[in-house]
Amino acid sequence: MIDLHTHSCASDGTDTPRGVMEAAAAAGVTVVALTDHDTTAGWDEAAAAVPDTHVALVRGVEISTRAHTPAGGVSVHLLAYLHDPQHPTLRSELERTRDDRVQRARRMAERLAEDFPLTWDDVVAQTHDGATVGRPHLADALVAAGVVAHRDEAFATMLHPGAPYYVPHYAPDTADAVRAVLAAGGVPVMAHPRAGTRGRVVTEDTIAELAQAGLAGLEADHRDHTDPDRARMRDLARELGLLVTGSSDYHGAGKHNRLGEHRTDPAVLAEIEDRGTLEVLRPWTR
Ligand code: AMP
Ligand code: FE
Ligand code: FE
Ligand code: ZN
């Protein structure tokens, strides 16, 4: 059972990296990718848990990017697998994004503080040391302050991109990020390309352009996709010569997504490993 998209408390998941590995073992997942938002800070701890959890680890990251399309900017989450984390371009882009995410969260907290009992310290208290800061941490602070009952409610109301409290953050251009992942020896796969509840999604023309830039795959199977979305993304992947993945996007207790609820074919993982510069870390030898 192969699940190629999960989050730990190095970003907006609630489990530690080791906790993700342990939860994967408990769920019967045999290969898991740790893909925290804009950081590889959880890799070492997850890697150290491979021998005792008997779960294989794909080291990855989910890069926040923006596609500049004829209809305007669209947020695109780009998964990168098995890349060199020290590659300068990718490394500096992720650093710039993480830094601006802190400033952005501060500005959002300031705006929220005008109407709700919330301080920046409350947000920091919800964020693991060194983690990529995101709206989920603002949501957790709002829950702790008794403003909303759970993350979902915060996302549906004050944290929604249409809300007056929303502030965008820096994100690299999607095609540039695809090229940076390739330059770093990684395999770039578009996460949840049809997840429309979060905001606008890219058109098939944009996906075709990204394929030209070197995009390797589409995450067709994801809980934010309808069955027709999943079928269409499979067809599009076939038309464009892209790999198809499926994953849970597990965030621990932070989201309803269950480990292994969507899975990736072993042949696709083998192809990803062939193309990636790093090895899959296995508790067994092939
Ligand atoms: P940000 O990247 O800081 O704008 O926040 C977006 C993140 O919030 C995404 O990575 C999602 O994992 C998370 N998210 C979006 N909607 C929800 C929700 N309803 N409940 C929990 N997390 C959510
Ligand atoms: Fe997330
Ligand atoms: Fe995502
Ligand atoms: Zn994700």
Side-chain angles (χ1 to χ4, degrees):
M1 199 194 276
I2 301 167
D3 185 342
L4 293 184
H5 183 168
T6 69
H7 297 265
S8 74
C9 62
S11 63
D12 57 357
T14 58
D15 295 353
T16 61
R18 168 171 284 276
V20 171
M21 300 298 286
E22 288 169 350
V29 171
T30 50
V31 184
V32 74
L34 183 68
T35 54
D36 277 304
H37 298 287
D38 306 310
T39 187
T40 58
W43 282 12
D44 289 350
E45 185 184 321
V50 167
D52 39 300
T53 56
H54 301 284
V55 173
L57 175 68
V58 176
R59 287 163 287 179
V61 63
E62 184 175 19
I63 308 170
S64 311
T65 74
R66 192 164 291 111
H68 297 92
T69 78
V74 180
S75 163
V76 171
H77 284 180
L78 184 70
L79 294 160
Y81 298 117
L82 303 174
H83 64 280
D84 170 11
Q86 302 304 336
H87 189 275
T89 312
L90 192 53
R91 199 184 146 163
S92 70
E93 282 299 307
L94 293 180
E95 212 170 278
R96 183 171 171 194
T97 302
R98 288 195 306 271
D99 288 349
D100 196 55
R101 277 175 160 285
V102 176
Q103 302 312 315
R104 174 262 200 151
R106 274 183 180 275
R107 285 195 290 271
M108 285 188 72
E110 281 165 18
R111 291 187 184 188
L112 286 160
E114 290 175 20
D115 294 330
F116 305 103
L118 181 86
T119 67
W120 176 242
D121 284 347
D122 297 336
V123 180
V124 172
Q126 298 298 328
T127 310
H128 194 262
D129 221 22
T132 302
V133 186
R135 282 181 289 158
H137 303 105
L138 289 158
D140 290 346
L142 290 163
V143 172
V147 175
V148 293
H150 38 68
R151 277 186 180 184
D152 278 347
E153 191 185 336
F155 272 93
T157 56
M158 54 271 275
L159 298 182
H160 194 271
Y165 311 105
Y166 185 84
V167 178
H169 63 76
Y170 168 78
D173 172 73
T174 309
D176 288 344
V178 164
R179 288 184 281 265
V181 170
L182 293 172
V187 185
V189 172
M190 193 186 295
H192 43 70
R194 287 280 179 102
T197 55
R198 307 152 181 255
R200 288 190 311 135
V201 299
V202 290
T203 62
E204 295 188 6
D205 284 347
T206 297
I207 294 176
E209 283 168 27
L210 292 168
Q212 285 293 315
L215 183 71
L218 296 176
E219 186 183 60
D221 296 329
H222 186 284
R223 82 151 53 202
D224 292 359
H225 287 175
T226 63
D227 287 344
D229 286 336
R230 292 169 63 180
R232 181 58 203 148
M233 287 302 100
R234 274 178 190 281
D235 286 347
L236 184 63
R238 197 173 304 119
E239 287 165 26
L240 297 172
L242 300 176
L243 303 171
V244 168
T245 68
S247 337
S248 66
D249 205 352
Y250 174 74
H251 280 68
K255 271 180 152 184
H256 307 289
N257 310 33
R258 304 302 357 141
L259 277 162
E261 67 178 23
H262 291 291
R263 294 171 294 276
T264 296
D265 195 274
V268 172
L269 176 62
E271 183 62 32
I272 289 172
E273 189 170 17
D274 271 356
R275 297 191 199 178
T277 199
L278 297 183
E279 300 268 274
V280 177
L281 297 177
R282 289 186 176 76
W284 64 90
T285 45
R286 273 197 291 181

